[in-house]
């Protein structure tokens, strides 16, 4: 299966797509909950992936209850994550090769993430990717987060490319819903979340990794 048309721009999610951060934060949330005598169910964490903090916070409150010290849980998890990500942050396979191909083909690209600009700046700088994206859309740059289309529509607007001519790359269900709602061709590259039938229906492709995405883009541009 090939792409329905050649993209004129590519919009990337960040966590779980460019960097292997979801597993780190999952472990830090679990450890923080355990230290407080509680349990962080994996199913709950998986539902939080790709969603803005406001949505995730509401999920946590519904699970732990209003009497639970949620601020301590989150602060402890963030402290642990910051310590680990500073030394353990890994890029996903195929990132550099895909970006090199986009340079070769002259295709602009953006990041559209639920994370804050400080995280985006840190992660890109740590792996020497500072100048590889034409714009970065992060928390605070849009009114409604994923699964709403706002992050992707903002990215397309900044790139000056119609959303229907953009290819969006996502690993989360919320992100796929957002990109699809924006009208973008969407590829899911699964990380912790498995593709459901809904994901297959919304995506033009579910790819094994970014190497496969690179091959799809090359083929679409060549055709």
């Amino acid at each position: 299966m090939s792409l329905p048309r050649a993209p004129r721009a590519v919009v990337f999610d960040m966590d779980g797509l460019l960097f292997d951060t979801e597993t780190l934060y999952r472990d830090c949330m679990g450890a923080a909950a355990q230290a407080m005598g509680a349990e962080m169910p994996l199913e709950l964490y998986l539902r939080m992936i790709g969603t803005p903090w406001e949505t995730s916070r509401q999920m946590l409150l519904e699970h732990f209850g209003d009497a639970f010290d949620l601020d301590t849980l989150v602060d402890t998890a963030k402290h642990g994550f910051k310590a680990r990500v500073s030394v353990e942050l890994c890029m996903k396979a195929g990132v550099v090769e895909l970006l090199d191909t986009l340079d070769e083909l002259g295709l602009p690209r953006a990041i559209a993430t639920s994370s804050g600009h400080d995280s985006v700046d840190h992660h890109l700088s740590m792996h020497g990717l500072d100048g590889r994206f034409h714009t970065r859309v992060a928390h605070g740059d849009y009114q409604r987060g994923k699964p709403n289309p706002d992050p992707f529509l903002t990215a397309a607007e900044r790139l000056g490319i119609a959303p229907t001519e953009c290819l969006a790359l996502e690993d989360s269900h919320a992100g796929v819903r957002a990109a699809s709602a924006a009208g973008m061709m969407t590829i899911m590259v699964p990380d912790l979340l498995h593709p459901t039938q809904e994901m297959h229906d919304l995506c033009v492709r579910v790819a094994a990794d970014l190497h496969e995405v690179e091959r799809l883009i090359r083929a679409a541009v060549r055709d």
Side-chain angles (χ1 to χ4, degrees):
M1 179 180 178
S2 60
L3 299 180
R5 55 192 174 279
R8 292 186 56 209
V10 180
V11 184
F12 292 75
D13 176 48
M14 184 179 74
D15 295 296
L17 189 284
L18 291 173
F19 301 105
D20 190 15
T21 49
E22 297 293 2
T23 54
L24 291 178
Y25 202 68
R26 174 201 63 195
D27 294 347
C28 290
M29 285 290 286
Q34 187 174 31
M36 298 175 66
E39 181 183 357
M40 178 72 185
L42 176 60
E43 185 275 334
L44 172 59
Y45 180 76
L46 293 178
R47 286 197 293 117
M48 292 166 53
I49 291 177
T51 64
W53 167 238
E54 294 82 0
T55 303
S56 296
R57 180 181 178 84
Q58 185 58 41
M59 292 181 187
L60 291 169
L61 284 173
E62 290 174 358
H63 175 75
F64 289 109
D66 294 336
F68 186 77
D69 189 353
L70 188 58
D71 290 336
T72 295
L73 172 70
V74 173
D75 289 345
T76 302
K78 285 184 176 179
H79 180 76
F81 178 76
K82 185 175 181 180
R84 292 188 60 179
V85 81
S86 64
V87 294
E88 298 181 41
L89 180 66
C90 295
M91 269 195 305
K92 287 288 194 172
V95 171
V96 172
E97 293 86 348
L98 176 54
L99 292 175
D100 288 346
T101 293
L102 297 182
D103 284 343
E104 176 189 334
L105 298 174
L107 294 179
R109 76 235 46 152
I111 287 176
T113 178
S114 299
S115 293
H117 277 284
D118 55 345
S119 294
V120 177
D121 294 345
H122 171 270
H123 297 354
L124 294 182
S125 295
M126 186 171 175
H127 285 281
L129 300 179
D130 283 307
R132 305 303 302 268
F133 295 89
H134 295 80
T135 190
R136 308 170 183 182
V137 177
H139 182 75
D141 292 336
Y142 42 80
Q143 183 174 359
R144 302 174 303 164
K146 303 172 186 179
N148 296 293
D150 302 32
F152 288 99
L153 293 175
T154 302
E157 181 179 9
R158 289 186 180 181
L159 291 172
I161 306 292
T164 54
E165 298 185 278
C166 294
L167 175 67
L169 307 179
E170 267 287 354
D171 70 291
S172 74
H173 297 174
V176 167
R177 294 181 185 116
S180 178
M184 294 187 179
M185 295 179 286
T186 306
I187 294 179
M188 182 179 183
V189 185
D191 182 36
L192 294 184
L193 293 173
H194 297 295
T196 62
Q197 185 58 52
E198 178 196 6
M199 297 299 104
H200 283 283
D201 292 341
L202 293 177
C203 291
V204 297
R205 180 85 169 199
V206 174
D209 54 32
L210 294 177
H211 290 299
E212 183 178 349
V213 173
E214 179 194 4
R215 292 193 294 270
L216 288 167
I217 292 174
R218 278 192 178 278
V221 172
R222 186 173 59 244
D223 293 343

